[in-house]
Amino acid sequence: MTSDTLIPPRATRAPARKAGRAPSGLRYRSPKPQPVLGTGPLPKIVAVLALLVMTVLWLLPLAWALVTSFKTETDAATSGDGWIPKHGFTLDAYQKILDQGNLPLWALNSLIVTVCVTAITVVISAMAAYGFSRTVFRGRKVLLAVVLASIMVPPQILIVPLFRQMVIAHLTDTYAAVILPQVVAPAMVYILKKFFDGIPKELEEAARIDGAGSFRVFWSIILPLSRPILAAVAIFVFITTWNNFLWPFISTSDPNLMTLPIGLSTVKDSYGLQYAQSAAAALLAAVPLIVVFMVFQRQIVKSVATTGLGGQ
């Protein structure tokens, strides 16, 4: 045999390919997700019908409250009156709330308290979560266990000691008394820590080789990568703080510091429970949250889907 019979011609050899690299001109395509309900039109129809039913069940109480707010108190208090009132629709409930209360001041107080609580909570929770996730120190596990255990403590139990602290610090009837006790959120610390644990440490090591310190790494690397979870935490804290009634009601007695839920609860007549007025007050308190949801709908859905908080 000659050497030509042993070695194939150069033109017939397959070109060498580096491991882990696709041929030139080709792109990697991720596999298509398999449908959960199966293929065909029937599963899609079932899914759409189920979503429509859940949407109707969610919107029905809201629609009933909206219709009730436009009724007279006589029609609202009449059982079995239905959706269409006998005496027609009216704006008397909203007019009474606007006449008897200081709605712009209450809304401003709620906005100030909610924005401050949200901003401080996100900053404190993110820093604490980063410390638990990346810093190793003596007593770390014990301190983390204390933080997790505090999640199970009902907030109502802490009202008396918190109010006592505000009295000792001479902070009652101030914005600080309403804001500071609400900035501690152990659940948000745990959620952020679990997210920080999933960030590769190689990114931080590369930044430290370039001379970045701990705060630089946290500010320039960790926080930009954590925008979805930070948005989710901010949204949850914002909604909780805006709807909070108990602590702002206890921490201040100054009418000029009333938040929107407290202020609307003071607008009452001497004739007992006013159904139309109560429905109007509830809708006015919910309008800002509805606007926030409509404006940041994409960010809310993206944050919940990215972080997986929908199942927690």
Side-chain angles (χ1 to χ4, degrees):
M1 287 185 178
T2 63
S3 59
D4 294 336
T5 60
L6 295 176
I7 302 176
R10 186 179 299 272
T12 60
R13 292 182 181 179
R17 184 185 301 171
K18 292 184 179 180
R21 182 174 298 179
S24 59
L26 298 179
R27 294 183 178 179
Y28 173 76
R29 296 181 180 179
S30 58
K32 295 182 179 180
Q34 298 295 329
V36 179
L37 299 178
T39 59
L42 182 59
K44 294 182 180 180
I45 295 175
V46 173
V48 172
L49 291 177
L51 292 176
L52 288 176
V53 171
M54 289 187 292
T55 302
V56 171
L57 293 177
W58 183 82
L59 290 177
L60 190 60
L62 184 62
W64 180 262
L66 181 62
V67 173
T68 303
S69 66
F70 288 106
K71 293 181 179 180
T72 62
E73 291 297 342
T74 303
D75 292 336
T78 303
S79 60
D81 190 34
W83 292 84
I84 307 299
K86 295 180 180 180
H87 300 86
F89 295 99
T90 179
L91 295 174
D92 290 344
Y94 293 95
Q95 189 64 39
K96 290 180 180 179
I97 293 177
L98 295 176
D99 293 341
Q100 300 177 10
N102 195 347
L103 195 63
L105 178 62
W106 299 339
L108 178 62
N109 291 335
S110 292
L111 184 63
I112 294 174
V113 172
T114 303
V115 171
C116 291
V117 170
T118 302
I120 298 174
T121 301
V122 171
V123 173
I124 293 178
S125 300
M127 296 177 66
Y130 181 72
F132 282 121
S133 178
R134 292 295 192 264
T135 306
V136 179
F137 56 91
R138 181 177 298 179
R140 171 174 170 269
K141 294 183 179 180
V142 176
L143 186 58
L144 181 60
V146 173
V147 173
L148 296 178
S150 61
I151 299 177
M152 298 180 290
V153 178
Q156 293 79 5
I157 298 179
L158 303 177
I159 288 178
V160 174
L162 285 176
F163 182 77
R164 181 61 179 171
Q165 291 179 4
M166 296 299 105
V167 172
I168 296 176
H170 303 286
L171 294 177
T172 54
D173 291 335
T174 61
Y175 280 116
V178 184
I179 294 172
L180 293 180
Q182 300 187 69
V183 300
V184 180
M188 301 299 114
V189 175
Y190 175 73
I191 292 173
L192 289 171
K193 177 192 176 299
K194 298 299 292 183
F195 186 87
F196 292 160
D197 290 341
I199 298 178
K201 296 183 179 180
E202 289 77 10
L203 298 176
E204 301 179 46
E205 295 174 356
R208 294 184 186 277
I209 292 176
D210 293 337
S214 299
F215 182 78
R216 181 70 176 180
V217 171
F218 174 72
W219 182 262
S220 300
I221 296 178
I222 300 299
L223 291 184
L225 293 175
S226 307
R227 288 177 182 175
I229 185 67
L230 292 176
V233 169
I235 292 167
F236 296 152
V237 175
F238 185 93
I239 294 175
T240 303
T241 307
W242 184 273
N243 292 328
N244 193 359
F245 174 85
L246 186 58
W247 177 250
F249 177 75
I250 294 176
S251 60
T252 179
S253 58
D254 188 357
N256 296 323
L257 296 177
M258 286 184 177
T259 58
L260 195 59
I262 300 174
L264 292 175
S265 66
T266 61
V267 182
K268 296 180 180 179
D269 292 336
S270 57
Y271 300 101
L273 181 61
Q274 306 294 313
Y275 293 100
Q277 196 167 325
S278 299
L283 289 174
L284 288 176
V287 165
L289 297 181
I290 296 175
V291 173
V292 169
F293 179 81
M294 297 300 295
V295 173
F296 299 100
Q297 182 178 5
R298 288 187 177 181
Q299 289 78 0
I300 294 173
V301 175
K302 181 180 178 181
S303 62
V304 174
T306 304
T307 58
L309 296 180
Q312 293 191 7

